[in-house]
Amino acid sequence: MPKTVYLGLTGDIIHPGIINIINEGAKLGELVVGLLTDSAIVSHKRLPYLTFEQRRQVVENIKGVAKVIPQEDWSYVPNLKRLKPDFMIHGDDWKTNYLSKIREECFEVMKEWNGQIVEIPYTKGINSTALVENANTIGTTPDVRRATLRRLIAAKSIVRIMEAHSGLSGLIVEHAEVMKDDGLHTFDGMWSSSLTDSTSKGKPDIEAVDLTTRMQSLTDILECTTKPIIYDGDTGDIPEHFVFTVRTLERNGVSAVIIEDKKGLKKNSLFGTDAKQVLATEEEFCEKIAAGKRAQITKDFMIIARIEEIIAGYSVDEALTKAFAAVKAGADGIMIHSKDKSGEDIKEFCGRFRKEYANIPIVLVPTTYNQFTEKELAEWGANIIIYANHMLRASYPAMKKCAETILEAERSLEVNDICMPIKEILELIPGTK
């Protein structure tokens, strides 16, 4: 009976180093590849370019691979315990990189059945990080970008979305990252807000700013980034206009549109709470959602219903009634809004909504109740967190301080410390180097 060999892979970028390890593993016996799932990968790294099924199809057709099974964990240990292979094979670079702790755990586990770990010398001339960076410069396609949001929701406990109102702010969101004990933290996508888009242009946030005007800024972001985009559709206008919006956004690779259950002249929720007279009826709101769902071509695009009942002074019961109706009309997710700094009404809404719908995504915008962490909001039942206007809000005081300091000093020397070197800005722009 042949020996069993285990190899854990992400399988997203197949380079000569991976082929070498597969070849060496096949020499030892029957090679079983544990292909990391999306959820296993995104706990520590970016979402793979290819879906799990696409990666499986590639890996199982590589010569030397006998079998492909899912690896549901970042660590190889759970699969090792289940399979009890005679050998585990891995590149020797894990001795000194971020997998060094997992390496120690694997050695301890393999000892339990006298298994052996074979470490293959790292293939010279292969830089996986550089390969990823090169792939980023290629960009993405509308189809790939549009589908990514649903993949992220399925793979992550919380999808982290940051507002972007220009190509430059989009690039910042695209590349921002912080390494923490539990892995790499990045933003998963971008929020295209009507408020920040209009404000960045020095114009009021009114419904009269049509899709054609908004698409100018959206295109700037689409052209220089790759991450999924959620579009703020305001009320969506009348059903016939919303159909056009859905088709335009879907065609351009936007992942989702969020529309609120308001009608009439637009009034920002931050100004006043007496908005009962402008909320759409259940029938009006559901008709618009249903029209949008009929208009979309792909299964990837999402229409998310923004429920304004709580912020308009209605009860959680009434908000839930509207939310349930929206889901039955075809809404792919629910955004619930509130100005209550305690967050108690949102927490109640999430808990009660989850009892009715366990898998419909809930979107939160915790601008007023920002004392809660993403982990806490996930425990309430949230799937997507949108930081709705922070990039714009951060830019204004910085620019204002710069302008006033130059006026005061009558030169620019005093603002050197608060200004990014122009070379670093140029390096951020693709194609500038």
Side-chain angles (χ1 to χ4, degrees):
M1 187 173 179
K3 302 285 188 180
T4 303
V5 186
Y6 186 79
L7 169 64
L9 282 181
T10 61
D12 198 28
I13 298 177
I14 304 296
H15 53 72
I18 297 297
I19 297 299
N20 181 52
I21 291 178
I22 289 174
N23 289 338
E24 293 300 318
K27 293 177 184 177
L28 298 172
E30 186 177 78
L31 181 63
V32 178
V33 171
L35 191 63
L36 273 70
T37 61
D38 283 0
S39 57
I41 295 170
V42 297
S43 62
H44 287 76
K45 300 173 70 175
R46 62 167 179 81
L47 185 74
Y49 293 102
L50 303 179
T51 66
F52 177 82
E53 289 304 322
Q54 288 170 332
R55 291 184 284 121
R56 180 204 287 270
Q57 187 175 359
V58 170
V59 174
E60 66 187 7
N61 281 285
I62 297 176
K63 183 180 179 180
V65 175
K67 185 178 181 182
V68 177
I69 63 172
Q71 181 173 310
E72 303 281 356
D73 300 88
W74 178 248
S75 171
Y76 310 105
V77 170
N79 269 11
L80 292 177
K81 288 184 175 180
R82 280 191 290 269
L83 292 174
K84 292 183 169 56
D86 299 289
F87 297 98
M88 176 187 177
I89 192 165
H90 202 287
D92 66 357
D93 55 315
W94 71 336
K95 294 178 181 179
T96 55
N97 68 16
Y98 55 89
L99 291 173
S100 59
K101 185 177 180 181
I102 290 179
R103 175 181 180 269
E104 295 174 5
E105 295 171 353
C106 290
F107 270 94
E108 288 298 317
V109 168
M110 291 290 286
K111 286 180 183 177
E112 295 178 10
W113 54 87
N114 296 317
Q116 183 181 348
I117 294 181
V118 178
E119 296 177 315
I120 304 300
Y122 190 76
T123 303
K124 294 181 179 180
I126 299 296
N127 186 328
S128 297
T129 301
L131 289 173
V132 171
E133 290 177 352
N134 288 337
N136 281 335
T137 64
I138 297 172
T140 187
T141 66
D143 289 340
V144 171
R145 189 201 292 258
R146 184 176 55 245
T148 302
L149 182 61
R150 285 193 184 272
R151 289 181 60 201
L152 285 164
I153 293 171
K156 300 190 69 175
S157 59
I158 278 290
V159 177
R160 187 184 296 116
I161 304 294
M162 172 61 88
E163 167 261 319
H165 55 272
S166 64
L168 182 59
S169 62
L171 282 170
I172 294 172
V173 175
E174 177 97 354
H175 297 293
E177 60 181 41
V178 173
M179 181 59 74
K180 303 181 71 174
D181 291 341
D182 59 348
L184 186 67
H185 285 231
T186 63
F187 291 107
D188 299 302
M190 300 164 209
W191 168 241
S192 175
S193 161
S194 64
L195 169 63
T196 58
D197 180 56
S198 58
T199 304
S200 67
K201 294 180 173 70
K203 298 178 180 179
D205 181 24
I206 56 176
E207 199 82 35
V209 178
D210 60 17
L211 177 63
T212 303
T213 303
R214 290 277 309 279
M215 280 302 299
Q216 295 174 6
S217 298
L218 185 59
T219 300
D220 289 341
I221 299 171
L222 286 166
E223 288 181 342
C224 62
T225 64
T226 64
K227 293 186 176 182
I229 294 176
I230 301 176
Y231 181 87
D232 176 12
D234 287 323
T235 68
D237 213 332
I238 62 176
E240 291 79 9
H241 291 179
F242 184 52
V243 164
F244 175 77
T245 298
V246 167
R247 289 174 177 166
T248 300
L249 296 176
E250 185 182 29
R251 183 173 61 251
N252 281 277
V254 172
S255 295
V257 62
I258 296 182
I259 57 168
E260 58 194 19
D261 57 338
K262 286 182 180 179
K263 62 179 182 178
L265 185 63
K266 180 172 181 178
K267 181 179 181 181
N268 193 286
S269 302
L270 293 173
F271 297 102
T273 58
D274 186 20
K276 293 186 178 182
Q277 74 279 7
V278 297
L279 289 190
T281 66
E282 183 178 304
E283 291 74 20
E284 291 169 331
F285 193 41
C286 290
E287 177 190 358
K288 196 177 298 181
I289 292 169
K293 293 304 295 181
R294 289 192 298 269
Q296 73 180 71
I297 304 300
T298 70
K299 295 180 180 179
D300 300 325
F301 189 75
M302 300 177 69
I303 296 176
I304 299 173
R306 172 172 160 175
I307 307 301
E308 291 284 293
E309 263 67 10
I310 295 176
I311 206 167
Y314 289 91
S315 67
V316 173
D317 287 340
E318 290 167 300
L320 285 164
T321 298
K322 182 71 74 68
F324 293 155
V327 172
K328 290 175 182 176
D332 300 290
I334 296 294
M335 175 197 277
I336 184 64
H337 222 20
S338 173
K339 292 193 298 183
D340 183 0
K341 293 183 178 181
S342 73
E344 289 302 316
D345 47 8
I346 296 295
K347 185 177 182 180
E348 179 188 349
F349 177 95
C350 291
R352 294 173 61 184
F353 184 85
R354 275 285 165 259
K355 290 179 181 179
E356 187 74 18
Y357 293 105
N359 299 314
I360 296 294
I362 296 176
V363 183
L364 299 185
V365 185
T367 307
T368 53
Y369 50 99
N370 58 9
Q371 68 271 33
F372 298 103
T373 65
E374 293 165 359
K375 181 179 180 181
E376 290 172 312
L377 297 175
E379 290 171 351
W380 293 4
N383 302 92
I384 300 175
I385 302 300
I386 296 179
Y387 298 97
N389 45 42
H390 296 77
M391 295 291 281
L392 181 70
R393 289 165 55 197
S395 66
Y396 179 82
M399 291 189 292
K400 185 172 183 287
K401 180 179 179 181
C402 177
E404 292 175 348
T405 301
I406 290 175
L407 287 173
E408 180 67 31
E410 299 183 19
R411 63 181 186 181
S412 63
L413 176 65
E414 282 72 15
V415 300
N416 280 353
D417 291 341
I418 63 171
C419 288
M420 182 180 183
I422 191 65
K423 184 174 182 293
E424 290 183 26
I425 292 180
L426 295 176
E427 289 173 347
L428 182 65
I429 310 301
T432 302
K433 292 182 182 181

